[in-house]
Amino acid sequence: MPRGHLEHINITVSDIERSAALLEQLCGWRIRWRGPSMLGGETIHVGDETDYIAVYTKGAALPGRHAKGLPLNHVGLVVDDLDAAEAVVKAAGLEPFNHADYEPGRRFYFFDWDGIEFEMVSYA
C-alpha cells in the first residue's frame, strides 16, 4: 500500500506579503520559493524542508471573505509554543477564538484577513 504525506496547501489571499510574513512568524518557517503563477498572479511558498503553504494572489482585488467551508474548513498547524503563536496572531491584529484543551493537545483558532480559518495546536 502506498504511503504519503501532505506536501503543501495552496490558498488564495489578498496580500501575499502579509500572509507569508504571518506564516513565517507563526511557525518559524522561511520563504522557499517565490515567483509567477502558471495561472497569472504571484505565489510565495512558505514552509520548511518537507512541507509548505503556497500563498497565491491573482494580483487583482478579491471580492471579500469566503463563508466558512468555502473553499475549505480550516488549516491545522502544529507549533511547539501555543502561547507564543497566540501572541503572534494578536500582534497581527487578528482575534484568537475557541480555545480548547483536550486530547491530544491544546488549540485555538483564528481567521486571517481573507477569512481563511487556521487551527493552531500544540502537543507539548
Side-chain angles (χ1 to χ4, degrees):
M1 177 183 302
R3 294 184 51 100
H5 73 277
L6 182 65
E7 183 212 18
H8 76 275
I9 296 169
N10 185 311
I11 58 177
T12 298
V13 299
S14 58
D15 183 333
I16 60 172
E17 300 290 343
R18 178 177 62 184
S19 295
L22 178 65
L23 291 168
E24 286 179 289
Q25 293 173 359
L26 272 176
C27 298
W29 288 347
R30 63 180 172 77
I31 294 177
R32 294 173 31 146
W33 178 84
R34 175 186 200 135
S37 168
M38 293 185 337
L39 303 174
E42 186 177 10
T43 301
I44 299 176
H45 293 180
V46 186
D48 61 21
E49 297 75 32
T50 59
D51 44 46
Y52 63 95
I53 295 180
V55 291
Y56 163 77
T57 186
K58 293 180 180 179
L62 297 174
R65 295 175 67 140
H66 296 286
K68 180 175 168 52
L70 298 173
L72 56 90
N73 287 319
H74 67 259
V75 174
L77 299 173
V78 176
V79 293
D80 59 357
D81 187 337
L82 194 64
D83 296 328
E86 185 168 1
V88 169
V89 169
K90 288 179 178 178
L94 302 169
E95 185 176 339
F97 66 93
N98 201 18
H99 294 76
D101 187 358
Y102 56 84
E103 288 298 325
R106 289 178 47 224
R107 67 200 70 236
F108 71 87
Y109 297 79
F110 70 93
F111 286 102
D112 77 354
W113 305 274
D114 297 297
I116 299 169
E117 184 177 23
F118 287 84
E119 176 185 7
M120 302 303 300
V121 64
S122 175
Y123 300 120

